[in-house]
Amino acid sequence: MRRQAMPLKTFFKEFGVFLGEKESLLDKHYQHVAEKIELHWGYDEFYPFIDKLLVDCRDRKRVGFPIEVALEITELHNIHERLYPPRNKN
């Protein structure tokens, strides 16, 4: 049985402040991504995971996320970077 993940807005207080009254589109439409963000949170593996979400390095075309979702991912990256600065930042 798959566990019910806590909404990102609740799990990360700073993200809840960013969203205000709005619901997270990641939670609503991309729950598998939201669960992986929660899983990687606080670890160095978070950075390459988020980078792969935002930057397409593959040869084939991909649609990508709507801008509102990309903004949520970017904000989560910013929050994570403030709380858990990367050890090996180039």
Side-chain angles (χ1 to χ4, degrees), residues 42-81:
Y43 296 98
D44 289 337
E45 294 79 16
F46 176 86
Y47 295 105
F49 171 72
I50 289 295
D51 289 344
K52 282 176 141 180
L53 290 177
L54 293 174
V55 179
D56 185 10
C57 296
R58 299 180 296 182
D59 290 337
R60 64 181 196 257
K61 295 285 183 193
R62 120 179 177 189
V63 175
F65 293 107
I67 188 68
E68 296 85 2
V69 174
L71 289 172
E72 285 189 18
I73 294 169
T74 300
E75 183 61 21
L76 286 164
H77 178 276
N78 293 339
I79 293 167
H80 190 275
E81 195 168 44

Side-chain angles (χ1 to χ4, degrees), residues 27-51:
D27 282 324
K28 187 173 183 178
H29 299 292
Y30 302 94
Q31 188 174 25
H32 63 288
V33 174
E35 289 171 1
K36 287 183 180 180
I37 288 171
E38 185 179 330
L39 179 70
H40 288 92
W41 194 262
Y43 296 98
D44 289 337
E45 294 79 16
F46 176 86
Y47 295 105
F49 171 72
I50 289 295
D51 289 344

Side-chain angles (χ1 to χ4, degrees), residues 8 22 25 34-35 51 55 73 76 79 83-84 89-90:
L8 293 174
K22 295 186 298 184
L25 296 174
E35 289 171 1
D51 289 344
V55 179
I73 294 169
L76 286 164
I79 293 167
L83 297 175
Y84 308 99
K89 190 169 182 178
N90 295 332

